[in-house]
Amino acid sequence: MKLLRFGEVGQEKPGLLDEEGNIRDLSAYVKDIDGEFLGGELFAKTQVIDTASLPLVSGQPRLAEPVTGVGKFICVGLNYEDHARETGTVVPPEPVLFMKATSSITGPFDRVELPPHSKKSDWEVELGVVIGKEAKYVSEAEAMNYVAGFCVINDLSEREFQLEREGQWMKGKGCDTFGPLGPYLVTPDEVGNVDNLDIWLELNGERVQDGNTKTMVYKVPFLVHYISQFMSLQPGDIISTGTPPGVGLGMTPPKYLKEGDVMRLGIENIGEQQQSVFRYQR
């Protein structure tokens, strides 16, 4: 099942994508796609609903982030060996964890704004994991029982803020619009083998990231298990699992986003995003 949210900002409704690629309105059955829904009985019931009985949504509405009310947006750094190498580092012996501000979350086709003084804003396509029920001190073997589904994430990063300023990475990771999610929350049964999915990003039509989740060092079950040893994961929380090589920081010379750029990115069986870039003006 591919769950989604559609409508203008502040007026989003829950929906799903049917087998013909049409948007169906779920709002008669579901208040919204959030932690309360994902952690409750209605989520399971929705997966067996007769989609043909749901109202068709006409036109081409805006697609919003597929999960709202996200409590924690947890990211994993340096989780692809070849990406770590391009940044001049190595994969650490334990996952690198950091938080991304939930205020960075935006829709998969919404515009990305560069902060007024940004000089080194960068792209990162990542596999997102959406938690479906509370995970606290869970084992690796049980971890997938706590996953509601997967989504595409663009973990945008301002490298000067992240790496050249004092403190932690989060200053370069949490800027407004730096966390496009979606377009869908795809349940595990539709994703297939999450450890072998093509993952890519194009900048202005040029393929710059072209990887596969099979080269991810710390896999999804381990990450859910590992993170749950330090904090409980709640329904609707999101884990962004790291990016393959091809980011601007790793190019020679480095290449960063500028106003007018267009990013197109996607993950096999999960979906595609596209964002244009503008510079925020006060």
Side-chain angles (χ1 to χ4, degrees), residues 26-91:
L26 268 175
S27 59
Y29 300 89
V30 177
K31 181 180 178 182
D32 211 340
I33 300 172
D34 55 13
E36 182 180 1
F37 165 69
L38 295 174
E41 295 181 359
L42 193 54
F43 179 46
K45 293 179 180 178
T46 302
Q47 295 181 58
V48 295
I49 199 169
D50 177 13
T51 57
S53 68
L54 299 172
L56 275 169
V57 177
S58 61
Q60 295 181 318
R62 168 184 175 265
L63 292 181
E65 58 274 22
V67 182
T68 188
V70 174
K72 293 191 288 295
F73 194 171
I74 305 162
C75 298
V76 182
L78 304 173
N79 196 24
Y80 287 72
E81 185 175 3
D82 35 11
H83 168 61
R85 188 163 54 248
E86 76 173 346
T87 62
T89 57
V90 296
V91 175

Side-chain angles (χ1 to χ4, degrees), residues 72 74 94-95 97 131 134-143 146 220-234 239:
K72 293 191 288 295
I74 305 162
E94 292 187 41
L97 303 181
I131 298 300
E134 184 182 46
K136 187 172 183 177
Y137 306 121
V138 303
S139 70
E140 186 174 355
E142 298 172 323
Y146 297 84
V220 171
F222 179 80
L223 291 174
V224 174
H225 149 73
Y226 180 83
I227 296 169
S228 78
Q229 309 307 304
F230 303 99
M231 66 193 83
S232 62
L233 295 169
Q234 305 298 323
I239 302 170

